[in-house]
């Protein structure tokens, strides 16, 4: 699906500008000044009347559109609130309302004029980044399997001009960063939204190979079932055993740092469909289990953004992809498997499959001697009981890593909330027939799931993000692209940016 492109233009007089849609952010209070006042006069006071009539209050996040002149066909006023209150949250709100309106306009091109917005250059740059990201998000529509897609945005090109304080180069850089994040999120959403008969483990590995071919700093290798058997990944393999789709362990290595530098690692749960297996899920909403690869898709989207941002660090992304199906070959409750770590697992519930694929991927990633490991998984329904759809659950064996993720979530408005993995919970996983069982005793389901993973991550700094409540929504049904903004922000900070 085509997405709008962004360019920086040399500042121009907006009263002389020809554009199908002129976007003007305006602070609340004060009189219209400079170019905007001139434009208002040219339009016989239409803008000031919109303000006087109360239709446009310039409250942050509000918007008002009016027809312009022959050359400036439409004008979109964006409320920015009082100048002295403008902050990161306001810039997010302004960008969101720009996205909302520009994704529904019939205009194919728009121009955003930031000259009259008196902000320090760094704040203008950050607003530009957010604008690009939000406009891209708003313009994403799923069309893949529709004969006649509706509501496809017309917008193809966006240009911007800024006040003299910000160089064209810096403005360009800010837009590029916003585009990288926006496209990363949209890629993640697209993979999530695809139906499970298209988005199989094999499809995911093809996506990885395609990404690797496109970028010189990204190399991709795929471990098939035979290779995984040789490595002793009995836990991961037990999940796809009932499926006709072969499981895949996808490894993507981004080398933006020094050759010998230890990488940051992202490990994603990639269950392309979760029926529950022999512990079959009830039928209602089972279709939503096509989103059970939300962790995996966030690894793809984050890596794509990291490559496009050209971050000066090394990152390894691992996706454990499998389909969880019941069949004559499927794993049965009570079966005992041996993980790559050597620890044995009694599978009491085949629907607790995410931790079974992740534990082997987490053992495997140890080979890279990673600086830090973050796994991302739609792991438990219980995290939705705890945190709803607002925050991703953050579990970590390292305070500094947990705090870095919390802070990154705040900055990117893609928040997480820390949960415990105390020793006291571990005894719920004791088993009579194996080193551990794959489910707890019924309470604190998200915590016991994380405690299970903690048994495989003792050798490195590790965090686990439970994104069952945040990576997709039931209404409007679809993948959100979370937690890509948080992860990109975390890695940018680790890269010193
Ligand atoms: N994929 C599910 C978790 C899930 C539920 C994600 C709802 C998104 C929305 C996971 O594999 C699962 O089935 N977990 C079980 C664990 C239980 C059997 C211990 C759950 O949450 O019920
Ligand atoms: Mn499950
Ligand atoms: Zn699952």
């Amino acid at each position: 699906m085509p997405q709008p492109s962004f360019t920086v233009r040399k500042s121009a007089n907006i009263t002389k500008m020809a554009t199908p849609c002129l976007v003007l952010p305006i602070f609340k209070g004060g009189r219209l000044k400079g170019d905007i006042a001139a434009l208002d006069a040219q339009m016989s006071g239409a803008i000031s009347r919109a303000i006087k009539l109360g239709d446009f209050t310039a409250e942050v996040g509000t918007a008002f559109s009016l027809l312009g002149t022959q050359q400036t066909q439409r004008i979109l006023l964006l409320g920015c609130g009082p100048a002295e209150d403008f902050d990161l949250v306001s810039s997010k709100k302004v960008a969101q309302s720009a996205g909302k309106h520009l994704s529904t306009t019939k205009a194919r091109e728009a121009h955003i004029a930031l000259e009259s917005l008196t902000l320090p250059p760094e704040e203008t740059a950050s607003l530009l980044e957010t604008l690009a990201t939000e406009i891209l998000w708003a313009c994403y529509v799923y069309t893949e399997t529709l004969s006649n897609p509706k509501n496809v945005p017309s917008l193809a090109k966006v240009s911007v001009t800024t006040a003299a304080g910000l160089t064209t180069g810096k403005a360009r850089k800010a837009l590029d960063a916003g585009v990288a994040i926006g496209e990363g999120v949209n890629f993640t959403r697209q993979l999530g939204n695809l139906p499970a008969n298209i988005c199989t483990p094999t499809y995911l590995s093809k996506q990885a190979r395609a990404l690797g071919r496109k970028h010189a700093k990204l190399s991709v290798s795929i471990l098939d079932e035979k290779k995984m058997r040789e490595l002793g990944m009995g836990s991961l393999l037990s999940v796809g055993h009932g499926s006709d789709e072969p499981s895949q362990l996808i490894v993507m290595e981004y080398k933006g740092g020094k050759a010998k530098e230890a990488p940051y690692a992202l490990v994603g749960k990639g269950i392309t469909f979760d029926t529950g297996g022999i512990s079959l899920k009830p039928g209602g909403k089972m279709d939503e289990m096509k989103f059970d690869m939300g962790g995996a898709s966030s690894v793809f989207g984050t890596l794509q953004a990291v490559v496009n941002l050209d971050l000066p660090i090394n990152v390894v992304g691992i996706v454990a992809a499998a389909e969880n199906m019941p069949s004559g070959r499927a794993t049965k409750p009570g079966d005992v498997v041996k993980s790559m770590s050597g620890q044995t697992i009694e599978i009491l519930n085949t629907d607790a499959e995410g931790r079974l694929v992740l534990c082997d991927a987490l053992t495997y990633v140890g080979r890279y001697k990673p600086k830090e490991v973050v796994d991302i998984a739609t792991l438990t329904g219980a995290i939705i009981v705890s945190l709803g759809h607002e925050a991703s659950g953050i579990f970590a064996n390292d305070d500094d890593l947990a705090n870095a993720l919390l802070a990154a979530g705040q900055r990117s408005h893609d928040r997480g909330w820390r949960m415990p993995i105390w020793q006291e919970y571990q005894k719920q996983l004791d088993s009579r027939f194996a080193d551990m069982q794959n489910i707890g005793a019924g309470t604190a389901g998200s915590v016991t799931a994380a405690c299970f993973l903690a048994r495989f991550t003792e050798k490195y700094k590790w965090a686990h993000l439970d994104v069952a409540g945040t990576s997709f929504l039931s209404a409007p049904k679809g993948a959100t692209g979370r937690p890509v903004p948080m992860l990109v922000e975390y890695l940018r900070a680790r890269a010193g940016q």
Side-chain angles (χ1 to χ4, degrees):
M1 116 228 55
Q3 307 228 303
S5 64
F6 293 80
T7 52
V8 184
R9 281 215 240 160
K10 276 220 177 67
S11 197
N13 186 336
I14 55 173
T15 58
K16 302 218 175 83
M17 179 174 279
T19 173
C21 182
L22 177 65
V23 184
L24 295 172
I26 294 178
F27 281 130
K28 188 181 168 70
R31 267 197 277 124
L32 297 179
K33 281 187 292 249
D35 273 6
I36 298 189
L39 181 69
D40 185 43
Q42 201 178 50
M43 294 170 59
S44 330
I47 299 177
S48 46
R49 263 180 293 134
I51 297 173
K52 208 168 285 160
L53 288 170
D55 289 42
F56 178 63
T57 59
E59 214 62 75
V60 67
T62 60
F64 187 73
S65 46
L66 56 165
L67 291 176
T69 61
Q70 275 294 354
Q71 34 174 358
T72 299
Q73 297 170 351
R74 303 170 185 82
I75 296 179
L76 174 64
L77 307 175
L78 295 177
C80 296
E84 60 275 16
D85 295 350
F86 196 83
D87 60 7
L88 266 181
V89 178
S90 341
S91 91
K92 169 88 173 174
K93 286 183 182 158
V94 171
Q96 263 172 347
S97 85
K100 192 173 138 206
H101 285 80
L102 291 178
S103 63
T104 49
T105 179
K106 289 283 170 239
R108 294 196 67 251
E109 291 179 27
H111 178 79
I112 308 176
L114 296 180
E115 287 90 338
S116 57
L117 211 59
T118 41
L119 286 172
E122 322 79 67
E123 280 186 42
T124 307
S126 132
L127 175 61
L128 278 178
E129 180 182 320
T130 315
L131 275 166
T133 305
E134 289 290 340
I135 292 170
L136 281 174
W137 291 353
C139 289
Y140 168 84
V141 277
Y142 176 83
T143 58
E144 203 65 30
T145 44
L146 290 159
S147 310
N148 295 302
K150 290 185 199 75
N151 308 326
V152 178
S154 311
L155 191 72
K157 281 185 186 163
V158 179
S159 56
V160 301
T161 47
T162 65
L166 192 72
T167 63
T168 311
K170 286 209 171 117
R172 178 72 259 164
K173 249 189 127 181
L175 283 178
D176 285 346
V179 168
I181 298 166
E183 288 183 343
V185 166
N186 285 348
F187 183 28
T188 297
R189 289 159 82 188
Q190 178 66 8
L191 290 175
N193 288 334
L194 283 170
N197 59 329
I198 295 177
C199 186
T200 59
T202 306
Y203 180 89
L204 286 180
S205 56
K206 283 186 186 144
Q207 291 296 309
R209 285 210 186 88
L211 206 58
R213 273 195 300 275
K214 236 173 41 201
H215 302 287
K217 292 183 186 172
L218 193 74
S219 53
V220 173
S221 55
I222 315 280
L223 277 61
D224 61 9
E225 291 191 347
K226 179 164 172 282
K227 188 84 196 81
M228 288 191 268
R229 216 166 296 126
E230 284 163 20
L231 288 167
M233 296 188 172
S235 181
L236 191 158
L237 287 169
S238 75
V239 173
H241 216 248
S243 169
D244 289 344
E245 296 291 341
S247 303
Q248 313 267 321
L249 191 80
I250 302 166
V251 183
M252 297 173 274
E253 285 176 73
Y254 167 72
K255 285 235 183 302
K258 297 202 183 73
K260 290 256 167 62
E261 216 167 74
Y264 293 93
L266 304 175
V267 178
K269 168 179 171 182
I271 301 299
T272 58
F273 198 78
D274 180 14
T275 65
I278 296 298
S279 313
L280 193 65
K281 284 182 182 293
K285 285 198 185 185
M286 203 207 266
D287 65 290
E288 292 184 358
M289 284 301 111
K290 74 172 182 179
F291 296 118
D292 211 17
M293 32 58 75
S297 60
S298 76
V299 173
F300 279 99
T302 302
L303 268 177
Q304 184 188 281
V306 164
V307 175
N308 287 329
L309 287 165
D310 202 29
L311 291 186
I313 50 174
N314 296 331
V315 182
V316 50
I318 295 196
V319 163
E323 189 184 60
N324 188 20
M325 294 288 278
S327 84
R329 280 165 49 85
T331 300
K332 303 167 290 297
D335 285 1
V336 174
V337 296
K338 189 168 189 174
S339 67
M340 185 183 173
S341 72
Q343 301 177 92
T344 58
I345 303 160
E346 185 188 15
I347 300 176
L348 285 180
N349 189 321
T350 63
D351 198 11
E353 84 298 338
R355 62 200 82 181
L356 297 174
V357 296
L358 283 173
C359 70
D360 279 339
L362 286 166
T363 301
Y364 184 78
V365 81
R367 293 189 161 194
Y368 291 87
K369 301 263 179 297
K371 279 200 175 116
E372 292 172 337
V373 178
V374 180
D375 82 64
I376 311 101
T378 47
L379 204 62
T380 65
I383 200 71
I384 310 175
V385 178
S386 307
L387 301 175
H389 303 284
E390 305 307 322
S392 304
I394 300 179
F395 302 81
N397 65 11
D398 183 80
D399 291 344
D400 178 56
L401 175 55
N403 289 334
L405 290 166
L406 281 164
Q410 283 288 351
R411 288 198 300 274
S412 59
H413 313 271
D414 177 14
R415 288 177 294 180
W417 193 251
R418 190 153 184 201
M419 302 279 289
I421 36 173
W422 299 326
Q423 206 53 44
E424 285 79 354
Y425 293 102
Q426 282 287 358
K427 57 179 174 293
Q428 287 196 37
L429 298 174
D430 290 345
S431 158
R432 253 164 66 82
F433 300 105
D435 301 339
M436 71 194 86
Q437 58 188 44
N438 78 328
I439 52 170
T443 58
S446 309
V447 179
T448 51
C451 283
F452 180 95
L453 298 177
R455 296 180 179 219
F456 299 85
T457 57
E458 284 172 351
K459 296 199 182 114
Y460 46 72
K461 292 179 186 172
W462 158 77
H464 154 61
L465 300 179
D466 194 333
V467 295
T470 50
S471 67
F472 71 93
L473 298 172
S474 301
K477 194 180 289 197
T480 62
R482 293 178 69 183
V484 172
M486 181 204 285
L487 290 170
V488 173
E489 193 56 36
Y490 152 72
L491 290 172
R492 280 172 112 183
R494 287 307 194 225
Q497 295 185 359

